Amino acid sequence: SEHFSPEGWLIRDATQKPVLVIWQGVVQSVWNGAAVEDTMTAPLNALSDHYSIKFLDANKSMINAPASTDYKLGLVITDTSAVGYVQDSPTDWAFHLKGKKTGTTTIELQVQHAGHVDVKTPKFHVTVVADTSVHGAPVGLQILFEEDETLIAKATAAAVTGSFTGQKDSTSDHIAIEFFDANNHYFQPEAPLYSWNYTLSDPSVAAILPQSGEPWVFRIKGLKSGQTTLTLRLLLGNTVEFVPLPISIVIQ
């Protein structure tokens, strides 16, 4: 397929505002009469905004990435212990940055084409900063009834408080999952980038019924009298991000 050779790169946030512009191999400080940053930031222990990539032709007009699956986005991070990245889909021309430790490193973006690099950016700086406006890595979760927010149970990797009690042949009201970080910020992560799965120690006692259209909500159906435990896992893509201790379920 054809070699792709744009004149520039345009990285935009979720509001489509330019956050970094590269024109003919130079990171710009002004674009279309407005100042733009020459450095990107990544929040510590959290995901950045959704950054999408467009390209610029010789007339400085915005153009899309090649549609062919022969092309894909590459990110080369100089210090991967400082910054990582996540894509909602490996075919997206978009990404999130994730800060791992405070400091600065550099990133090079590439258009990878059938085993080689068609075009790449110069290395630009990324600074990791602590941002109290975003949630950090989860240290625990709670489950609560969605309608009235009555707490059912709370679990971390070290302790569990509360349990669920239900009836045989009965299905609970909607139960919501919420996570919290070390600063007690409660949140539900971005779906479908994040998801969850579960394990029941005895699936003959109860069933978990995820709710369509509500990614962080489920119901519990009692199958027979007895006791089981529910282990919930937070996933980022296919990677397990957090697992608390199991929550007890009693069916009467």
Side-chain angles (χ1 to χ4, degrees), residues 9-14 17-22 27-28 36-43 48-53 73 75 77 82-85 94-99 103-109 121-129:
W9 301 62
L10 185 64
I11 304 172
R12 304 187 298 174
D13 65 15
K17 175 185 175 181
V19 295
L20 194 81
V21 182
I22 297 166
V27 178
Q28 303 294 294
V36 289
E37 297 292 333
D38 59 4
T39 299
M40 296 186 72
T41 60
S48 71
D49 286 344
H50 180 89
Y51 295 127
S52 59
I53 295 175
L73 174 64
L75 288 88
I77 300 172
V83 174
Y85 73 94
F95 61 95
H96 301 259
L97 294 175
K98 183 175 184 179
T104 300
T105 186
T106 57
I107 292 181
E108 175 185 287
L109 300 179
T121 67
K123 292 181 178 181
F124 56 86
H125 287 92
V126 175
T127 301
V128 178
V129 296

Side-chain angles (χ1 to χ4, degrees), residues 154-175:
K154 183 176 289 188
T156 68
V160 179
T161 57
S163 62
F164 173 84
T165 300
Q167 303 298 315
K168 179 178 175 292
D169 299 324
S170 179
T171 302
S172 73
D173 292 335
H174 285 197
I175 296 171

